[in-house]
Amino acid sequence: MSPEERDVAIASLEDVRDRVLDRARLVDDDTVLDVGTGTGLIVFGALDRLGADGFVIALDVSVDCLEELRATCTDPRVVYLVGS
């Protein structure tokens, strides 16, 4: 996959994520559970919609994915859990 194709794919995924999160009608102090969080596409979108009292729980079976997410997301509103 070329870098251009990758960028198009990511933009498409972000559009889908935004539609899902918009329909969730999050409010400032909600807690979002992102099951199968991977590297955090939903996490970042949810954080943009939550206030200071909101939280995102990032749950994944892959410690490697969660460690990668933790390296790029230092927001204290994210809780990282390993599980299936």
Side-chain angles (χ1 to χ4, degrees), residues 14 17-18 21-22 26 32 34 40-50 56 77:
E14 288 173 350
R17 172 207 59 198
D18 290 343
L21 289 173
D22 288 346
L26 301 176
V32 175
D34 182 4
L41 184 67
I42 297 290
V43 170
F44 290 111
L47 288 172
D48 289 344
R49 290 165 172 78
L50 296 173
V56 178
R77 299 174 296 162

Side-chain angles (χ1 to χ4, degrees), residues 2-81:
S2 73
E4 294 80 16
E5 290 170 323
R6 183 174 98 34
D7 291 344
V8 168
I10 289 172
S12 175
L13 288 173
E14 288 173 350
D15 289 342
V16 171
R17 172 207 59 198
D18 290 343
R19 287 195 308 267
V20 169
L21 289 173
D22 288 346
R23 289 181 182 145
R25 297 186 183 120
L26 301 176
V27 295
D28 287 350
D29 62 347
D30 275 345
T31 298
V32 175
L33 173 60
D34 182 4
V35 177
T37 199
T39 56
L41 184 67
I42 297 290
V43 170
F44 290 111
L47 288 172
D48 289 344
R49 290 165 172 78
L50 296 173
D53 294 327
F55 285 91
V56 178
I57 301 168
L59 173 68
D60 204 288
V61 297
S62 171
V63 172
D64 291 340
C65 282
L66 290 172
E67 286 179 355
E68 184 176 335
L69 176 57
R70 189 186 301 254
T72 60
C73 180
T74 59
D75 195 304
R77 299 174 296 162
V78 179
V79 176
Y80 303 89
L81 294 175

